[in-house]
Amino acid sequence: MLNFLLRRIAAGIATLVVALFLMYLLVDRAIDPLQDLIESTAPNKQQLIDQRIADLDLDVNVVVRFFQWFGNLLTGDLGTAWRSGRDVSDVLVHAIGSTLELVTASTLLAVLLGVTVGIVSALRQYSAFDYLIIFLSFLLFSLPSFWVAVLLKQWAAIGFNDFLRDPVVAWPVIIGASLVVGLLWSLAIGGTALRRLQVFGTAAAANVALLAYVQLTGWWERPQIGPVLLLVLGAGSAFAVVGVFAGLHNRRALWTALTVVVLGTVLYFPMQVVFDSVAESHWMIAGLGLLSAAIGYVVGRLYGGADWRLSARAGAAVAVVMGALIFVDQVMQVWGPYFKALSGRPIPTFGDRTPNLGGNYWVQVLDSFTHLALPTLTLVLIAFASYTRYSRSSMLEVMNQDYIRTARAKGLPERLVVVRHGFRNALIPLATVVPIDVITLLGGAIITEAVFARPGMGQLFVGSLDGAEIDPVMAYLLVTAFLAILANIIADIVYATIDPRIRLDA
């Protein structure tokens, strides 16, 4: 492993230097910092041109200028955006932060939803659900991102803000939506006609109950999860996690997950005091998340048994879900003042922050979430189609392999065949796709950022090119090239982690 990393790092550094040199030459050729002065009608036009040539060293050979820039880079100096006079490092930090928020949210959701739906679609091949997912995937894949973004601004932002003036959902709409949800679940689960009918009725009734709860309790005006809903959602996640990864027959894993749910519900009340008395930060929340996973793992270890590791992993996963629900509940508690501060229109259509908003940590987190909602949904809808198709085709290929037939011939349960033998191997092609997609998005979702006016990496690149500022452009290219090289190394490591047959030190 160490030899592999050293070789790849050395090759990556060499590639990065060559790429930066070539990019510097191309960018210098593409931009003209004197264009605005050449078109100027100022009486001292030539004097202004001479002054800018001297300020930007344009009379120096481009190769020499590259090595001057590269030498400054080695000392940590990324240069200056000469039009605004700001340090490139300051501009880059803000742009990376804005893009990281968007990329993290959209990638996690797209991978989770896309892979899950793709796997289910493959297992239900040639069913009505499979055909529905294929149609939806091709439809979303063919839609231009700017068109999706504009529609979301119109219906998901403006329409939802208008709905919040009088948030009442008609009962026929509730019933109709619940019937659709029940139908989708019955198609996804499959089985005999009786089983489908049972799934349909259960899912439709659960959806009616949930929407009725939202409607009758005035949830839209005072959104919160609370201990009761926390217990219900936690129990549902516990059964889902154990059912998929351990099987509901594994009583130790099931009791571990349910114990973690009860423990999380009990800790809900003291956590309110902790959040009110401690200075919150992202690092504190991350630490609490790790602590939650550790507690869930310990609970599984205490239940013991021959397969205690399976119980521990299930407990850790459910503990993270419970921690996330408590975090979301705490953010929801500041919805009232945030709603009033934005004059009853809490879903914004541009930017990444509300100017001069003020408020505590939770208000700032809620403001960040609302600004992320539309651009994240845009990227998720587009990426969902790709991940669904990748995971479906990969799972179909894996499930036709000889070792899958051997596992079934040995009498292993179908759940075990799918999760342990099929799912893990189906992830191998995604190990290439996901890191490259993440790096592409870190380079800036240029169209999405432009539609929603987010000051991310994409807008930094486009704005710097328009302004003929070579230092910000090169800083952007430095970051994207470095991350592209890093993504390839990570993909190789993930390969070896997923598939033991792959050896990095071969």
Side-chain angles (χ1 to χ4, degrees):
M1 172 70 80
L2 182 60
N3 290 333
F4 165 80
L5 289 177
L6 292 176
R7 291 198 309 268
R8 291 302 301 269
I9 290 173
I13 292 174
T15 303
L16 182 62
V17 173
V18 173
L20 290 176
F21 176 71
L22 295 176
M23 286 299 178
Y24 195 96
L25 298 182
L26 292 174
V27 173
D28 181 77
R29 184 76 175 177
I31 65 176
D32 185 3
L34 303 177
Q35 184 65 37
D36 58 330
L37 295 181
I38 293 174
E39 298 173 354
S40 172
T41 58
N44 59 339
K45 171 180 173 179
Q46 189 58 46
Q47 181 181 356
L48 294 174
I49 291 176
D50 294 339
Q51 182 63 44
R52 183 170 296 178
I53 290 174
D55 292 340
L56 302 181
D57 292 332
L58 298 180
D59 54 344
V60 178
N61 184 273
V62 63
V63 175
V64 176
R65 276 190 281 127
F66 166 76
F67 283 105
Q68 290 176 345
W69 174 83
F70 190 74
N72 293 332
L73 172 65
L74 296 178
T75 64
D77 183 10
L78 293 176
T80 303
W82 60 269
R83 288 192 183 275
S84 63
R86 297 179 60 189
D87 287 340
V88 173
S89 57
D90 296 337
V91 179
L92 191 64
V93 166
H94 181 76
I96 290 177
S98 180
T99 297
L100 273 177
E101 290 180 351
L102 179 59
V103 169
T104 303
S106 61
T107 302
L108 288 177
L109 289 175
V111 170
L112 179 63
L113 294 176
V115 171
T116 302
V117 173
I119 296 296
V120 175
S121 180
L123 298 176
R124 304 280 300 128
Q125 187 182 19
Y126 302 135
S127 65
F129 180 80
D130 186 33
Y131 287 126
L132 177 63
I133 295 303
I134 291 174
F135 169 76
L136 183 62
S137 298
F138 279 114
L139 176 64
L140 293 175
F141 190 78
S142 63
L143 295 179
S145 58
F146 67 87
W147 189 72
V148 175
V150 171
L151 287 183
L152 288 177
K153 290 180 73 170
Q154 177 63 39
W155 300 107
I158 298 175
F160 183 74
N161 286 334
D162 292 340
F163 164 77
L164 290 179
R165 295 177 181 174
D166 185 21
V168 176
V169 181
W171 285 102
V173 175
I174 292 177
I175 295 173
S178 300
L179 293 177
V180 172
V181 170
L183 178 62
L184 291 175
W185 274 106
S186 65
L187 293 177
I189 299 300
T192 63
L194 178 60
R195 185 185 182 188
R196 293 187 182 189
L197 185 61
Q198 291 173 340
V199 171
F200 173 82
T202 302
N207 199 70
V208 168
L210 178 62
L211 294 179
Y213 171 82
V214 170
Q215 180 85 334
L216 298 176
T217 58
W219 191 87
W220 296 112
E221 291 89 351
R222 299 176 302 277
Q224 60 178 341
I225 294 179
V228 176
L229 198 55
L230 177 66
L231 182 63
V232 173
L233 294 176
S237 66
F239 279 100
V241 169
V242 175
V244 172
F245 295 102
L248 295 178
H249 64 277
N250 189 325
R251 296 304 178 185
R252 292 182 186 273
L254 182 59
W255 283 115
T256 296
L258 293 177
T259 301
V260 169
V261 171
V262 173
L263 185 61
T265 305
V266 172
L267 290 176
Y268 171 84
F269 299 98
M271 286 306 299
Q272 307 303 307
V273 179
V274 172
F275 288 139
D276 291 337
S277 59
V278 177
E280 300 88 355
S281 67
H282 291 318
W283 290 110
M284 187 199 79
I285 299 302
L288 289 175
L290 293 176
L291 180 61
S292 300
I295 292 174
Y297 192 90
V298 170
V299 171
R301 182 66 183 90
L302 292 176
Y303 269 97
D307 55 350
W308 66 266
R309 290 182 177 82
L310 195 59
S311 300
R313 288 195 293 268
V318 175
V320 170
V321 173
M322 293 296 292
L325 290 174
I326 294 174
F327 174 77
V328 171
D329 176 81
Q330 188 66 26
V331 174
M332 286 180 173
Q333 292 183 21
V334 298
W335 177 264
Y338 181 77
F339 186 83
K340 293 179 181 179
L342 271 70
S343 304
R345 305 191 70 82
I347 306 299
T349 58
F350 62 91
D352 62 349
R353 295 290 188 276
T354 300
N356 305 317
L357 176 63
N360 61 12
Y361 170 80
W362 300 107
V363 173
Q364 298 300 322
V365 170
L366 179 59
D367 185 55
S368 178
F369 282 177
T370 56
H371 280 84
L372 278 172
L374 295 185
T376 297
L377 186 56
T378 301
L379 295 178
V380 167
L381 289 175
I382 302 300
F384 168 83
S386 300
Y387 292 140
T388 300
R389 301 302 298 156
Y390 279 124
S391 57
R392 179 184 181 275
S393 61
S394 180
M395 191 67 176
L396 286 175
E397 182 180 357
V398 167
M399 295 304 288
N400 289 322
Q401 297 297 316
D402 291 338
Y403 58 84
I404 296 295
R405 285 191 288 270
T406 302
R408 285 171 172 160
K410 289 166 59 178
L412 293 179
E414 186 65 15
R415 181 200 59 80
L416 201 61
V417 172
V418 171
V419 174
R420 291 194 180 179
H421 297 278
F423 177 69
R424 181 171 181 173
N425 289 287
L427 293 178
I428 294 177
L430 291 172
T432 299
V433 176
V434 174
I436 299 302
D437 283 353
V438 171
I439 299 310
T440 301
L441 288 176
L442 280 173
I446 296 177
I447 296 177
T448 303
E449 288 181 1
V451 174
F452 294 106
R454 285 188 66 87
M457 292 288 285
Q459 291 305 296
L460 170 66
F461 177 67
V462 173
S464 299
L465 275 182
D466 289 341
E469 297 177 303
I470 193 169
D471 284 350
V473 173
M474 289 306 301
Y476 167 87
L477 295 173
L478 169 67
V479 172
T480 53
F482 169 77
L483 292 176
I485 295 170
L486 181 63
N488 282 279
I489 298 176
I490 292 175
D492 289 337
I493 296 175
V494 173
Y495 277 151
T497 303
I498 295 175
D499 190 349
R501 295 171 297 179
I502 299 175
R503 292 290 180 264
L504 297 179
D505 54 355

